[in-house]
Amino acid sequence: MSEQTRLILIVLAMAAVTYLPRSLPLQFDVRKWPPWVRASLEYLPPSILAAIVVPSLLPLEDGHIVVRSVDLIAAALTAACACATRNLLISVVVGTVAYLALA
Amino acid sequence: MASAAPVATGYFMVSWVFGVAAVKLGYALWLPVAMCAFVYAGASQFSALALLAAQASASTIILTTLLINARHLLMSIYMAQALAPVGLTTSQRWLYGVGLTDESFAIHSHQLAHDEVRCGRELLAFNATCHLAWIAGALTGGWSVSVLASASRLKLDYALTAMMVYVMTSLCVSRGRLAAAVLAAGVALLLRGRVDSTINVFVASIAGCAIGICLNKRA
């Protein structure tokens, strides 16, 4: 097998294992699920986002959490702006400009 | 399409870096572009690139990709319910899955919860815009390596972080949801320090849901 064929097969396999978890559950009929499972789905979006965002703001280097104040200040400003304005574009612009200005 | 703008901009910047990295490692331009077109997953693509460069086996690369993307299973389960009001057909749902990413999940779950989506096509158009920006970034990034000796980059990819922070903040509207987010963040931080696992987000999210449903039952 040539190196190029190997790479093509790897990309295709990566595509398959990425696509199936994203798409298969969309075909489920959630109405048939027990009520407590459906009720707990309400808590999925904040949980998933917190589990992704918070660790990314506190990166790990050599087993220690690194506090990069620029990232945290910009994130705090974005969050404050989100609470105050409830506007995505304004909050993102404020956060990104703050980051660029402080960095 | 205003909501796609920060995501598409951030995607372009990040995949631009991906294209540069792949070409600098000695791969032909088609590889980063094909990964962006067919895989469309940031963390897995960067890991795959690092593993390829380290001569890892194909099975390692594919298993890593699967584990990193396990969290999308939960997002997809949530979306199966949340998409019901916009009435997507079966084939439109299969198409929607192509573009289900952390960021599209963040924006769409928020919009659907606030009845801000008029029709399903709007969501598909959002996904297509972001996916095209992702492909275009890798294409121009990889191409620029051969054209420009050193390409500078403005750190506009912070826009993606800011967007995720915005949605996370807006989603914590009730005590239960706030408790779920705080616990999930705590579990994710703890797990990361102790076990080197790519399914941290998956485990942490389940923990968040558990505390949410416990508080819900008591109330």
Side-chain angles (χ1 to χ4, degrees):
Chain A
M1 187 170 27
S2 77
E3 176 63 11
Q4 180 151 332
T5 316
R6 193 179 92 95
L7 288 175
I8 290 173
L9 290 176
I10 287 176
V11 171
L12 290 179
M14 283 176 70
V17 298
T18 305
Y19 181 58
L20 287 178
R22 283 179 180 178
S23 297
L24 265 184
L26 287 176
Q27 307 295 334
F28 296 167
D29 189 354
V30 183
R31 283 169 301 179
K32 291 176 187 151
W33 292 10
W36 69 270
V37 175
R38 280 159 54 199
S40 68
L41 288 181
E42 183 201 336
Y43 302 100
L44 259 185
S47 302
I48 292 176
L49 285 169
I52 293 173
V53 173
V54 176
S56 80
L57 289 172
L58 297 165
L60 206 60
E61 272 171 35
D62 300 325
H64 297 282
I65 287 179
V66 185
V67 176
R68 289 186 309 210
S69 48
V70 174
D71 294 44
L72 292 177
I73 293 169
L77 278 173
T78 312
C81 205
C83 291
T85 66
R86 303 253 154 227
N87 184 302
L88 170 71
L89 215 55
I90 294 176
S91 309
V92 169
V93 169
V94 166
T96 310
V97 168
Y99 181 83
L100 292 173
L102 294 166
Chain B
M1 275 305 41
S3 58
V7 180
T9 311
Y11 276 12
F12 185 88
M13 297 296 164
V14 174
S15 76
W16 197 91
V17 176
F18 181 74
V20 169
V23 170
K24 282 203 167 165
L25 279 170
Y27 293 105
L29 185 56
W30 71 265
L31 184 74
V33 174
M35 274 204 198
C36 286
F38 297 111
V39 184
Y40 189 30
S44 332
Q45 289 182 211
F46 277 99
S47 318
L49 204 58
L51 287 168
L52 278 173
Q55 310 289 325
S57 68
S59 54
T60 307
I61 296 170
I62 294 156
L63 188 67
T64 307
T65 306
L66 181 67
L67 289 176
I68 293 176
N69 290 323
R71 64 182 188 280
H72 291 133
L73 195 72
L74 292 177
M75 298 182 197
S76 185
I77 289 172
Y78 178 81
M79 278 302 182
Q81 173 165 280
L83 284 174
V86 294
L88 290 178
T89 64
T90 303
S91 50
Q92 280 176 325
R93 280 186 174 237
W94 284 113
L95 183 62
Y96 183 82
V98 175
L100 178 59
T101 62
D102 295 354
E103 291 76 19
S104 78
F105 172 78
I107 296 274
H108 291 169
S109 61
H110 184 250
Q111 286 181 331
L112 288 164
H114 292 82
D115 290 321
E116 287 170 11
V117 182
R118 285 187 303 277
C119 64
R121 279 166 187 268
E122 212 177 291
L123 303 178
L124 294 172
F126 175 101
N127 286 355
T129 308
C130 297
H131 199 161
L132 284 175
W134 186 246
I135 298 169
L139 192 64
T140 46
W143 173 76
S144 73
V145 174
S146 48
V147 177
L148 309 164
S150 70
S152 65
R153 109 188 141 100
L154 198 56
K155 299 204 90 186
L156 279 180
D157 48 347
Y158 191 81
L160 278 190
T161 309
M163 193 223 80
M164 298 294 272
V165 169
Y166 168 83
V167 178
M168 181 182 71
T169 313
S170 319
L171 283 172
C172 296
V173 284
S174 70
R175 260 199 7 206
R177 284 171 156 234
L178 183 62
V182 170
L183 185 76
V187 170
L189 285 173
L190 278 175
L191 283 179
R192 188 183 60 166
R194 277 157 188 77
V195 285
D196 183 29
S197 163
T198 46
I199 55 165
N200 284 356
V201 173
F202 195 91
V203 177
S205 305
I206 300 281
C209 281
I211 188 84
I213 198 80
C214 285
L215 289 171
N216 191 9
K217 275 194 176 155
R218 254 195 238 167

